[in-house]
């Protein structure tokens, strides 16, 4: 099939040729190029004109050319090729490199050098990077010139021992950061091997601070293990911790747990702070436990409960974690140590923060373990272990639910309901919807007493985390409990002012919408409660809400504006909301709300809202 | 690593149908304690303010890089007789937040031990805050916990044994220098600030200029202009008392979104502007709780790096005896104005302010921007000494030399010419597409002074030196690799009055026959 872009590329080549031949001034030419109809293909054709444009005016055309230098492009006949590998391209590239160096234009130099590296095979690029760097980094350069050179080469490749030593020997202070940033990567089959071993040797006594910074970045696991072994044998208790710390690898090696175990076995308390500090580095591999088994055996033997609990929460698989909890629950007796040890196993595990996202790992309890814990110590399951109940695809807690329902443990029931009420849709384990159905029958039974139902249901919905519901419509279709709590009974929530307040304060928008719907009903109790909660309702005028939700909130606000004082509060915020520049804000409906309120309370009309009656003169 | 903190047990929120218990675990080596019930009317504002602080702690406007995977730094809490306040930095260290809880909304139980410490604030806790309800009795508990509590409540933490980097510490201390600077205070209607934030939410400017321009015309309320759209937000009731037009531009406006969830519930808002491209502070009042947001001049400038060096350069040598006396007075009263302290100690106000500023730099005091007073706050369990202070604030010879030249009136500005580059741009706004002629200005400033017969700098609109030459030896050796020389810094300061803030775009009409292709689409990502 013919590439649909070929004709466009050919047309763009023709258009560029026409512009260059038109005798335009530099500025007009720049504007004309930037204003081209089909600019999106410009990066694939700019190689033909890059040199010419930069020769005309590097300042004006630099921003046009620099970000658009690519390895591949279309030639004038629409052929897809590597333009910088052609004879003309090579000459142009050489000129570009020289030009960028003369002008000390680091971004242009980097872009051109990337094109230059493309001339060799992938594995040989680092060698070419080093050759180009060393050929320029001769001893005749001044310090400032060397700094510029390193800036130009930053991020383009990796150093080897010889080149790193050459840089370090020439100007250590200037090059240390560059060396640390350009150490060779770990090869997949050589994790044990040190990188830059000669430079490490050379800096050991001359520059200990840099040596250990380099050590932490480049040390292979074999050397590190050997060094730890020698520290175990030679370092005093006072210096052990700091010596271990300054050798701790930046990227923890595999099976680090074995090394920790060795340390604890041989040096005991002196090594404990270091091991505790780096416990989170113990990670299970795909083919092994990362030394977990050795370490947890040792923790048990030494009676180091903090380490034992940390390993179970951070490193153990859910199966191992549940086995440990099961064993402790079995041994639970009044006043025994099992309870204390059990408590140590509750809580968060590993926490990861990257960018604006944060994830915390919590070990999930299995159904049988949760049942056992509920039987022996329900206050623990309802307390610190509540966060370990994670209803999802793998675990649906059918037996626990039966037991909790039978025992009518209200707090746990509400918590479990808050987890099951959000599970629905095609991809959900059908056992979850069965559990939701069981719970819906229980909550339906509570409707006999509207106050109890309102407070219990709002307690369920209050525990639903924000954004836990993906598709609300799919949820309603597949989850009977959700239908009951969210859709069937808004009027029931009016029985309890506390329930309404809880729903309004919920960070979950569907719970809030439920409260708006209840407060929008044409009942005296709805009007009274709406007025009581005017502080939260008025804020909805200024919050970003979906149109559907906002219209329900408007209706609730109209209910709230029954008396003149509350109406004045609503009006003042509503008039301010008119000035918000929000897209899709239903301003017509907002005007309607204001109109209805001022119709109801004529005294609140401002000058422009008063009726004007025109009579013939 | 500067110092390490360790928590005996993790912070947690335990909520049941009748109670919220917010247990915030402080560092083990600090003797702080506060157990109090929060007044029902302030529970929701407290929750919202803490959630906003959580958002700030996890916010990061940099592109993802290796540093983005670093650990989150926990907030610092201080208990005073009149307030409890939580302070934190964003992950990119360009934003600083404080939640101030009035002690009148806290009904304390048992002994209260005032003090300062780090608290464990996990992402999990941040999420769990949403479970707090004003209908439930809400208890705030601040204490170190300890082994006893660890076994009584839940398992200990391993990761939060956080290493506080020097940069973080320096940022905290630089923050004080920024707050103490004189500036302009504007009282705003919350909805006006919200209106500006919403406009930015729906209108993305992908190219420069992207400043917020505060205009303070004499005899009128201040107004806020959003560049490059020149969208004006009138700041109703923002009185300022200026007798001539004053314009202040700040960058990195996207960070204001941190205030967005609070403003619909706010009773008042204030902004403290320190000057062009200098830090600014926004205060939002909620019932019983205030939230203060401090922003650096622009996003890539962080409080922990270069931002502070210039700010603290002016500090002179404080009298050590006066510093000791000031510390003793602060310890006794917790909060005091410099004028009051000067009267109490019988010393000149300037000397007292210098001593107090020095205490701020040593982490022993903090400046309350709202009360314009200094507060006692021991940031470290062991106060830093002079040598560590020197390590944290290495003397900047160039700034000092520039200050000497300026103080001696030795800097001569020979000329300041503006170089304008204009381009036609189309922007999408809520009202539809608008066309504007965007003006990029660079100021070329020439001058001379002792040690440099000819100095020339090109200054961007944000007040940054983007290019320069000088006849001094420092420039000959380093070019601009180590930043501008002392003469360039002095010339930059001396030429400030000659570089006014002018509108960054003009209205433009569509040229005849010009279709969309004649316009630059706003797709290029420029540096702010």
């Amino acid at each position: 099939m013919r590439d649909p872009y070929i004709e466009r590329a050919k047309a763009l080549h023709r258009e560029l040729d026409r512009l260059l031949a038109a005798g335009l001034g530099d500025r007009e030419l720049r504007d004309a190029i930037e204003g081209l109809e089909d600019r999106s293909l410009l990066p694939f054709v700019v190689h033909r004109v890059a040199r010419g444009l930069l020769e005309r005016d590097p300042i004006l055309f630099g921003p046009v050319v620099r970000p658009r230098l690519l390895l591949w492009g279309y030639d004038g006949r629409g052929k897809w090729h590597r333009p910088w590998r052609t004879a003309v391209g090579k000459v142009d590239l050489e000129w570009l490199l020289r030009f960028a160096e003369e002008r000390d234009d680091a971004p242009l130099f980097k872009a051109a050098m990337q094109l230059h590296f493309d001339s060799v095979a992938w594995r040989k690029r680092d060698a070419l990077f080093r050759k180009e760097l060393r050929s320029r980094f001769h001893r005749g350069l001044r310090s400032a010139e060397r700094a510029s050179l390193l800036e130009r080469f930053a991020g383009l490749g990796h150093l080897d021992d010889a080149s790193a030593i050459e840089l370090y020997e020439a100007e250590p202070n200037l090059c240390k950061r560059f060396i640390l940033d350009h150490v060779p990567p770990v090869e997949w089959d050589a994790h044990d091997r040190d990188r830059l071993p000669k430079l490490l040797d050379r800096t050991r006594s001359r520059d200990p601070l840099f040596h250990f910074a380099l050590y932490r970045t480049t040390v292979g696991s074999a050397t590190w293990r050997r060094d730890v072994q020698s520290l175990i044998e030679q370092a005093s208790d006072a210096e052990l911790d700091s010596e271990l710390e300054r050798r701790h690898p930046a990227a923890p090696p595999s099976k680090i747990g074995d090394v920790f175990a060795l340390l604890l076995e041989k040096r005991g308390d002196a090594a404990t702070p270091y091991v505790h500090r780096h416990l989170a580095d113990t990670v299970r591999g795909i083919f092994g436990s990362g030394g977990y088994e050795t370490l947890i055996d040792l923790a048990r033997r030494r009676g180091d409960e903090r380490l034992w609990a940390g390993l179970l929460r951070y490193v153990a698989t859910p199966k191992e974690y549940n086995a440990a909890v099961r064993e402790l629950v079995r041994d639970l007796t009044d006043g025994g140590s099992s309870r204390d040890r059990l408590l140590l196993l509750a809580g968060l595990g590993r926490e990861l923060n990257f960018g604006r996202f944060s994830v915390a790992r919590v070990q999930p309890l299995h159904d049988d373990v949760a049942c056992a814990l509920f039987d022996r110590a329900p206050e623990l399951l309802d307390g610190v272990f509540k966060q370990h109940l994670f209803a999802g695809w793998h675990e649906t807690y059918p037996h626990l639910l039966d037991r909790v329902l039978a025992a009518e443990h209200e707090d746990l029931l509400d918590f479990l309901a808050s987890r099951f009420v959000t599970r629905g849709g095609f991809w959900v384990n059908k056992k979850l919807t069965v559990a939701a159905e069981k719970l819906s029958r229980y909550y339906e039974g509570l409707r006999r007493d509207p106050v109890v139902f309102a407070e219990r249901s709002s307690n369920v919905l209050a525990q639903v985390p924000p954004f836990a519901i993906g598709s609300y419509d799919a949820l309603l279709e597949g989850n009977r409990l959700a239908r009951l709590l969210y859709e069937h009974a808004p009027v029931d929530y009016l029985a309890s002012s506390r329930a309404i307040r809880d729903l309004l304060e919920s960070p979950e928008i569907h719970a809030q919408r439920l409260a708006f719907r209840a407060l929008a009903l044409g009942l005296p109790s709805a009007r009274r409660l709406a007025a009581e909660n005017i502080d939260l309702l008025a804020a909805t005028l200024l919050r970003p809400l979906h149109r559907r939700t906002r219209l329900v909130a408007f209706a609730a606000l109209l209910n709230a504006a029954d008396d003149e004082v509350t109406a004045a509060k609503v009006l003042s915020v509503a008039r301010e909301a008119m000035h918000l520049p929000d897209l899709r804000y239903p301003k017509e409906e907002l005007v309607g709300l204001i109109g209805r309120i001022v119709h109801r309370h004529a005294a609140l009309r401002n000058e422009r809202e008063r009726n004007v009656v025109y009579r013939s003169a | 690593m500067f110092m390490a903190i360790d928590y005996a047990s993790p912070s947690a929120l335990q909520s049941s149908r009748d109670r919220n218990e917010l247990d915030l675990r402080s560092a083990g080596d600090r003797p702080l304690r506060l157990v109090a019930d929060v007044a029902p009317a302030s529970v929701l504002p407290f929750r919202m303010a803490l959630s906003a602080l959580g958002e700030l702690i996890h916010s990061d406007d940099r592109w993802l890089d290796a540093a983005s995977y670093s650990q989150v730094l926990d907030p610092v809490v201080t208990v005073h007789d009149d307030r409890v306040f939580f302070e934190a930095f964003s992950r990119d260290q360009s934003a600083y937040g404080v939640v101030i809880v009035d002690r009148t909304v806290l009904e304390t139980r048992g002994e209260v031990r005032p003090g300062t410490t780090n608290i464990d604030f996990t992402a999990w806790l941040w999420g769990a805050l949403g479970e707090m309800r004003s209908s439930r009795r809400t208890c705030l508990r601040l204490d170190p916990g300890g082994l006893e509590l660890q076994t009584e409540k839940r398992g200990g933490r391993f990761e939060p044994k956080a290493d506080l980097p020097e940069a973080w510490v320096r940022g905290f201390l630089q923050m004080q220098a920024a707050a103490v600077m004189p500036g302009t205070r504007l009282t705003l209607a919350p909805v006006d600030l919200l209106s500006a934030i919403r406009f930015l939410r729906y209108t993305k400017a992908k190219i420069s200029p992207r400043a917020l321009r505060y205009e303070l015309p004499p005899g009128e309320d201040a107004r806020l202009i959003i560049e490059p759209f020149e969208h004006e937000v009138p700041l109703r009731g923002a009185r300022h008392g200026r007798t001539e037009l004053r314009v202040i531009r700040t960058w990195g406006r996207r960070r204001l979104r941190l205030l967005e969830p609070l403003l619909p519930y706010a009773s008042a808002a204030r902004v403290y502007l320190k000057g062009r491209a200098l830090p600014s502070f926004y205060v939002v009042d909620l019932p019983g709780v205030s939230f203060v947001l401090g922003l650096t001049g622009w996003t890539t400038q962080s409080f922990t790096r270069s931002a502070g060096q210039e700010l603290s350069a002016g500090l002179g040598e404080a009298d050590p005896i006066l510093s000791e006396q000031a510390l003793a007075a602060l310890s006794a009263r917790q909060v005091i104005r410099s004028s009051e302290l000067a009267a109490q100690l019988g010393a000149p106000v300037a000397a007292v302010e210098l001593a107090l500023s020095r205490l701020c730099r040593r982490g022993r005091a903090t400046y309350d921007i709202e009360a314009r007073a200094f507060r006692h706050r021991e940031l470290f369990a062991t106060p830093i000494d002079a040598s560590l202070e020197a390590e944290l604030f290495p003397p900047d010879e160039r700034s000092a030399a520039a200050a000497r030249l300026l103080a001696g009136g030795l800097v001569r500005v020979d000329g300041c010419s503006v170089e304008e580059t204009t381009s036609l741009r189309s922007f999408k706004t809520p009202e539809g597409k608008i066309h504007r002629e965007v003006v990029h200005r660079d100021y070329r400033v020439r001058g001379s002074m002792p040690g440099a017969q000819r100095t020339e700098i090109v200054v961007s609109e944000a007040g940054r030196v983007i290019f320069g030459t000088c006849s001094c030896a420092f420039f000959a050796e380093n070019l601009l690799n180590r930043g501008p020389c002392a003469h360039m810094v002095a010339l930059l300061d001396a030429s400030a009055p000659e570089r006014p803030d002018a509108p960054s775009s003009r209205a433009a009409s569509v040229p005849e026959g010009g279709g969309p292709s004649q316009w630059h689409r706003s797709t290029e990502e420029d540096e702010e």
Side-chain angles (χ1 to χ4, degrees):
Chain A
M1 200 172 77
R2 193 168 170 77
D3 183 349
Y5 293 102
I6 287 176
E7 290 309 317
R8 285 171 57 194
K10 283 160 74 175
L12 195 54
H13 272 296
R14 285 195 297 275
E15 187 64 16
L16 277 177
D17 290 342
R18 187 186 66 75
L19 288 173
L20 287 170
L24 298 172
D26 288 347
R27 202 167 285 269
E28 289 89 340
L29 180 61
R30 194 272 314 260
D31 289 350
I33 292 174
E34 288 287 18
L36 282 169
E37 189 79 58
D38 205 359
R39 264 187 337 147
S40 59
L41 283 186
L42 202 54
F44 301 110
V45 300
V46 83
H47 54 88
R48 275 189 63 209
V49 293
R51 180 175 173 177
L53 292 177
L54 290 173
E55 277 176 332
R56 279 180 78 148
D57 187 337
I59 294 172
L60 204 58
F61 292 105
V64 179
V65 173
R66 204 185 296 124
R68 294 189 171 107
L69 291 174
L70 298 183
L71 293 174
W72 291 81
Y74 291 99
D75 68 7
R77 289 171 297 164
K79 187 183 166 197
W80 185 242
H81 72 144
R82 295 188 181 200
W84 307 102
R85 287 192 179 184
T86 63
V88 178
K90 280 179 184 165
V91 175
D92 282 355
L93 184 56
E94 210 171 290
W95 179 87
L96 269 180
L97 281 167
R98 211 170 43 245
F99 177 77
E101 280 203 283
E102 281 165 7
R103 293 182 51 80
D104 197 15
D105 185 341
L108 181 64
F109 182 84
K110 278 185 204 291
M113 196 50 97
Q114 297 276 22
L115 303 174
H116 177 50
F117 290 162
D118 185 53
S119 63
V120 296
W122 183 254
R123 289 188 65 85
K124 293 181 182 169
R125 285 183 191 175
D126 272 348
L128 184 57
F129 161 78
R130 293 190 288 267
K131 184 181 152 203
E132 295 288 351
L133 174 61
R134 291 170 79 175
S135 69
R136 288 164 172 83
F137 199 87
H138 52 78
R139 291 177 188 277
L141 290 183
R142 285 186 300 127
S143 178
E145 290 167 333
R146 281 189 175 138
S148 300
L149 181 69
L150 293 182
E151 193 193 332
R152 288 201 294 275
F153 274 86
L156 291 179
H158 300 100
L159 298 171
D160 62 0
D161 235 337
S163 54
I165 287 172
E166 188 179 329
L167 295 188
Y168 180 75
E169 291 296 346
E171 196 153 350
N173 285 335
L174 184 70
C175 299
K176 280 178 195 172
R177 188 70 258 165
F178 186 86
I179 294 170
L180 287 172
D181 289 345
H182 296 81
V183 296
V186 181
E187 289 177 28
W188 70 273
D189 57 345
H191 289 268
D192 281 0
R193 211 176 297 155
D194 295 344
R195 293 162 286 157
L196 309 184
K198 289 179 188 161
L199 182 61
L200 269 174
D201 273 348
R202 199 173 280 236
T203 54
R204 182 167 288 120
S205 53
R206 269 173 63 181
D207 189 352
L209 212 60
F210 174 62
H211 170 78
F212 282 108
L214 191 65
Y215 179 97
R216 289 192 292 272
T217 315
T218 61
V219 70
S221 56
T223 307
W224 178 67
R225 280 165 210 273
R226 204 170 50 241
D227 289 351
V228 171
Q229 181 70 48
S230 68
L231 283 176
I232 288 172
E233 288 159 13
Q234 290 160 17
S236 68
D237 280 359
E239 65 186 14
L240 181 67
D241 190 64
S242 59
E243 290 298 320
L244 285 168
E245 193 61 53
R246 68 178 183 168
R247 286 176 178 79
H248 189 75
S254 60
K255 295 189 179 175
I256 196 170
D258 292 336
V259 181
F260 287 165
L262 186 69
L263 268 166
L264 290 171
E265 220 161 277
K266 302 280 184 192
R267 297 303 298 265
D269 292 346
T272 304
Y274 169 76
V275 174
H276 281 188
R277 205 158 48 237
H278 294 286
L279 183 65
D281 288 346
T282 314
V283 180
R284 280 177 169 275
I286 298 169
F287 303 110
S289 66
Y292 162 77
E293 275 112 2
T294 325
L295 205 51
I296 201 153
D297 277 350
L298 190 74
R300 277 201 201 99
R301 273 190 279 127
R302 284 173 48 85
D304 186 343
E305 294 195 335
R306 183 168 149 84
L307 179 64
W308 166 81
L311 283 165
L312 282 166
R313 282 191 292 121
Y314 277 69
V315 191
T317 60
K319 197 175 164 188
E320 288 160 343
Y321 177 80
N322 276 277
V325 176
R326 191 181 292 118
E327 196 179 321
L328 288 171
V329 172
R330 203 171 46 226
D331 299 341
L332 261 181
T333 51
D334 290 339
S337 65
S338 296
R339 191 184 182 83
D340 288 347
R341 300 182 77 201
L342 204 49
L343 283 163
L344 283 171
L345 294 184
L348 299 185
R350 198 179 300 281
E351 189 171 335
L352 298 170
N353 299 293
F354 44 94
R356 297 190 64 207
F357 301 97
S358 294
V359 180
R361 184 194 182 201
V362 179
Q363 294 276 21
L365 280 183
H366 291 164
D367 191 25
D368 64 315
V369 179
C371 286
L373 192 56
F374 181 69
D375 291 344
R376 306 291 302 270
E379 74 285 357
L380 288 185
L381 192 64
D382 185 33
V384 293
F385 276 96
K386 200 152 72 171
Q387 60 190 321
H388 293 264
L389 293 174
F390 184 80
W393 185 264
H394 296 289
E395 193 51 82
T396 56
Y397 298 110
H399 300 107
L400 176 69
L401 184 59
D402 287 344
R403 280 176 207 225
V404 177
L405 275 170
E408 292 212 31
H409 192 299
E410 294 184 355
D411 282 346
L412 260 181
L413 270 175
D414 289 353
F415 176 77
L416 287 172
S418 75
R419 292 326 187 233
F420 288 114
V421 78
T422 60
R423 306 292 198 266
F426 182 75
W427 295 105
V428 165
N429 186 340
K430 295 304 169 208
K431 286 180 186 168
L432 285 169
T433 50
V434 173
E437 192 138 344
K438 262 186 208 170
L439 280 165
S440 71
R441 285 199 203 95
Y442 170 79
Y443 283 95
E444 210 158 10
L446 297 180
R447 289 179 83 175
R448 286 188 295 271
D449 184 339
V451 176
V452 171
F453 175 78
E455 295 195 350
R456 292 287 305 281
S457 302
S458 71
N459 192 36
V460 173
L461 300 181
Q463 295 178 71
V464 175
F467 310 111
I469 297 173
S471 167
Y472 184 66
D473 292 341
L475 175 70
L476 292 184
E477 203 180 320
N479 189 315
R480 192 168 186 268
L481 182 62
R483 284 198 296 276
L484 172 70
L485 298 187
Y486 282 114
E487 288 292 319
H488 286 178
V491 69
D492 293 355
Y493 291 94
L494 293 174
S496 164
S497 60
R498 180 184 163 162
I500 287 289
R501 183 82 190 175
D502 281 359
L503 290 176
L504 284 173
E505 288 182 5
S506 168
E508 207 281 312
I509 192 62
H510 297 95
Q512 287 182 35
R513 187 162 174 266
L514 178 61
F516 299 154
R517 284 176 57 209
L519 295 175
L521 294 170
L523 300 169
S525 57
R527 284 194 281 276
R528 180 180 53 81
L529 286 172
E532 277 175 23
N533 291 293
I534 191 61
D535 56 332
L536 298 182
L537 280 180
T540 60
L541 288 163
L542 304 178
R543 287 172 46 200
L545 292 176
H546 283 172
R547 182 187 171 88
R548 266 202 308 185
T549 310
R550 194 180 295 284
L551 294 183
V552 186
F554 281 178
L557 279 161
L558 191 60
N559 256 357
D562 213 25
D563 65 276
E564 205 164 290
V565 177
T566 317
K569 286 182 190 165
V570 177
L571 266 184
S572 101
V573 186
R575 285 175 182 141
E576 287 186 336
M578 286 299 291
H579 300 291
L580 287 180
D582 293 30
L583 293 172
R584 294 189 288 278
Y585 195 108
K587 291 283 173 70
E588 294 84 357
E589 282 78 1
L590 181 62
V591 171
L593 174 70
I594 294 172
R596 284 191 195 97
I597 294 173
V598 295
H599 176 72
R600 197 184 285 171
H601 305 282
L604 297 177
R605 293 175 188 180
N606 65 23
E607 196 66 32
R608 287 180 300 171
E609 289 163 353
R610 297 221 172 91
N611 293 342
V612 179
V613 180
Y614 295 96
R615 292 201 177 92
S616 56
Chain B
M1 178 183 84
F2 180 74
M3 65 180 193
I5 46 173
D6 193 9
Y7 308 105
S9 60
S11 295
L13 174 77
Q14 296 279 359
S15 67
S16 64
R17 263 192 290 171
D18 302 315
R19 280 183 70 84
N20 300 314
E21 272 195 59
L22 182 59
D23 291 347
L24 297 175
R25 290 287 157 246
S26 54
D29 56 347
R30 309 300 290 272
L32 173 145
R33 186 185 183 276
L34 175 97
V35 179
D37 285 335
V38 184
S42 295
V43 170
L44 187 63
F46 181 50
R47 179 190 102 185
M48 288 195 297
L50 274 188
S51 295
L53 193 73
E55 180 79 35
L56 179 136
I57 290 169
H58 290 271
S59 76
D60 190 341
D61 274 2
R62 295 170 303 189
W63 284 101
L64 280 181
D65 55 20
S68 307
Y69 294 83
S70 59
Q71 197 175 39
V72 170
L73 293 166
D74 289 329
V76 166
V77 63
T78 301
V79 175
H80 274 181
D81 290 343
D82 60 336
R83 61 170 55 171
V84 176
F85 54 102
F86 304 78
E87 303 166 85
F89 275 111
S90 62
R91 296 183 57 151
D92 59 6
Q93 293 154 2
S94 73
Y96 162 84
V98 194
V99 173
I100 301 168
V101 185
D102 198 318
R103 280 285 294 273
T104 56
V105 303
L106 298 175
E107 191 186 325
T108 53
R109 283 186 275 140
E111 182 202 5
V112 175
R113 266 178 277 163
T116 301
T117 183
N118 289 73
I119 52 165
D120 178 30
F121 195 91
T122 60
W124 189 276
L125 178 72
W126 177 32
L129 286 174
E131 288 184 26
M132 284 171 75
R133 296 287 183 280
S134 61
S135 61
R136 302 170 191 167
R137 188 175 168 195
T138 301
C139 177
L140 168 67
R141 187 188 181 102
L142 285 164
D143 64 20
L147 193 63
E148 184 189 334
L149 200 81
Q150 179 186 330
T151 51
E152 183 192 316
K153 285 280 185 181
R154 60 196 76 85
R157 298 288 307 275
F158 289 88
E159 280 154 321
K161 194 169 176 70
D163 296 339
L164 297 184
E166 284 176 21
W168 180 89
V169 176
R170 193 185 306 126
F172 244 104
L173 307 183
Q174 292 290 5
M175 193 56 232
Q176 310 310 322
V180 174
M181 291 169 74
T184 304
R185 169 184 148 140
L186 297 172
T187 302
L188 321 173
V191 70
D192 290 340
L193 190 54
L194 188 65
S195 179
I197 295 169
R198 283 290 161 70
F199 184 85
L200 291 169
R201 182 183 176 129
Y202 295 114
T203 320
K204 301 238 180 333
K206 295 183 179 176
I207 53 149
S208 292
R210 288 176 290 190
L212 276 185
R213 199 169 75 237
Y214 285 89
E215 292 187 348
L216 285 60
E220 294 176 35
D221 289 346
R223 54 181 176 250
L224 182 57
I225 312 291
I226 299 172
E227 297 180 348
F229 316 102
E230 292 298 308
H231 176 79
E232 181 180 322
V233 180
L235 302 176
R236 291 162 296 159
R239 307 247 172 261
H240 50 84
R242 296 264 169 192
T243 51
E244 56 185 36
L245 178 67
R246 170 119 162 88
V247 178
I248 300 168
R249 295 171 82 195
T250 61
W251 282 261
R253 60 200 186 184
R254 204 167 45 166
R255 295 170 292 171
L256 283 177
R257 70 173 185 276
L258 294 165
L259 296 176
E260 192 181 358
L262 303 178
L263 288 169
Y265 302 90
S267 53
R270 288 174 295 287
V271 56
Y272 295 83
L273 300 164
K274 301 295 180 183
R276 180 169 67 172
L278 286 175
S280 49
F281 296 85
Y282 294 81
V283 184
V284 177
D285 286 341
L286 303 163
V289 179
S290 294
F291 186 85
V292 181
L293 176 68
L295 302 175
T296 53
W298 60 91
T299 308
T300 51
Q301 184 193 38
S302 87
F303 279 118
T304 58
R305 289 197 299 271
S306 58
Q309 288 211 344
E310 309 86 69
L311 299 173
S312 59
L315 275 183
E317 205 49 53
D319 179 356
I321 297 168
L322 198 58
S323 295
E324 285 300 317
Q325 289 173 329
L327 182 61
L330 265 184
S331 308
R333 291 180 54 176
Q334 289 189 343
V335 54
I336 195 164
R337 282 181 174 232
S338 54
S339 53
E340 289 171 345
L341 186 60
Q344 185 181 324
L345 299 178
V349 175
V352 169
E353 280 189 349
L354 198 59
L356 288 166
S357 301
R358 179 50 51 90
L359 288 176
C360 287
R361 265 178 58 155
R362 290 194 172 181
R364 312 201 71 174
T366 181
Y367 185 70
D368 181 344
I369 196 165
E370 285 272 89
R372 296 179 204 178
F374 288 84
R375 285 181 172 273
H376 184 226
R377 186 205 55 187
E378 294 282 359
L379 191 56
F380 314 112
T382 311
I384 61 173
D385 55 16
S387 64
L388 195 48
E389 186 192 0
E391 199 177 305
L392 285 171
F393 301 96
D396 184 356
E397 287 175 23
R398 278 173 281 161
S399 297
R404 279 196 299 276
L405 288 167
L406 286 166
L410 303 170
V411 184
R412 203 179 75 203
V413 180
D414 296 328
C416 178
S417 56
V418 59
E419 294 173 3
E420 287 190 356
T421 315
T422 59
S423 56
L424 298 174
R425 303 279 179 184
S426 60
F427 300 102
K428 284 180 189 163
T429 72
E431 290 85 33
K433 194 177 259 192
I434 60 165
H435 306 290
R436 298 200 66 86
E437 188 178 32
V438 175
V439 187
H440 301 276
R441 289 186 190 86
D442 290 337
Y443 297 90
R444 189 173 288 273
V445 186
R446 289 170 300 283
S448 57
M449 63 204 83
Q453 290 173 339
R454 197 178 59 80
T455 304
E456 185 173 324
I457 51 174
V458 179
V459 186
S460 72
E461 276 182 293
R464 277 177 273 176
V465 176
I466 53 176
F467 180 70
T469 60
C470 186
S471 54
C472 71
F474 180 88
F475 182 79
E477 173 63 19
N478 298 289
L479 303 177
L480 283 172
N481 290 320
R482 289 177 57 196
C485 64
H487 310 105
M488 290 180 188
V489 175
L491 190 60
L492 177 70
D493 273 11
S495 63
E498 299 186 35
R499 293 181 277 113
D501 272 320
S504 60
S505 67
R506 298 187 272 263
S509 56
V510 185
E512 212 162 301
S517 65
Q518 299 301 310
W519 296 84
H520 298 282
R521 294 210 331 255
S522 53
T523 52
E524 290 164 33
E525 197 69 32
D526 287 2
E527 279 283 308
E528 274 176 349

